[in-house]
Amino acid sequence: MTIDWHAVITGFGAGVAVSILYFLGLALSVRLALRLTRPVSVLLPSAALRIGGLLAAGWWVTGAGTLGGAFVGYALAFFLVRFIATLMARAPGVKEAGCN
């Protein structure tokens, strides 16, 4: 089995770019929603646009749905950016409560 490293790197690069936009959109929509009396009016359209954009970019990068190296790179990039975004979102100095 051979791995198409060019496809993996291309998928990873596109995945990083799209995932950063996804999480920036999430952060902006949450900040805006917290200021409104009806946050669902912002969060629902934002989620639809962000999810649709993420899936459309993944479909395009992977060559109209063919699973392969580009898909693996794209998925790895998403999870890496998600991990970094969750680390950045945590408030500094706040300890998580343990379960009893």
Side-chain angles (χ1 to χ4, degrees):
M1 180 170 139
T2 61
I3 297 173
D4 184 5
W5 288 106
H6 183 266
V8 173
I9 292 169
T10 302
F12 186 82
V16 167
V18 172
S19 298
I20 288 172
L21 290 174
Y22 178 89
F23 287 107
L24 283 175
L26 175 62
L28 291 173
S29 64
V30 168
R31 285 179 189 236
L32 180 60
L34 289 173
R35 295 181 190 150
L36 300 176
T37 56
R38 294 186 47 181
V40 73
S41 65
V42 171
L43 293 175
L44 190 59
S46 171
L49 287 173
R50 287 182 294 105
I51 293 168
L54 190 70
L55 292 174
W59 184 264
W60 179 75
V61 166
T62 60
T66 58
L67 295 179
F71 175 77
V72 171
Y74 189 80
L76 286 174
F78 176 80
F79 287 115
L80 177 66
V81 171
R82 182 182 69 105
F83 178 73
I84 293 169
T86 55
L87 288 178
M88 292 174 62
R90 290 189 180 149
V94 176
K95 295 193 177 204
E96 295 183 20
C99 294
N100 289 336

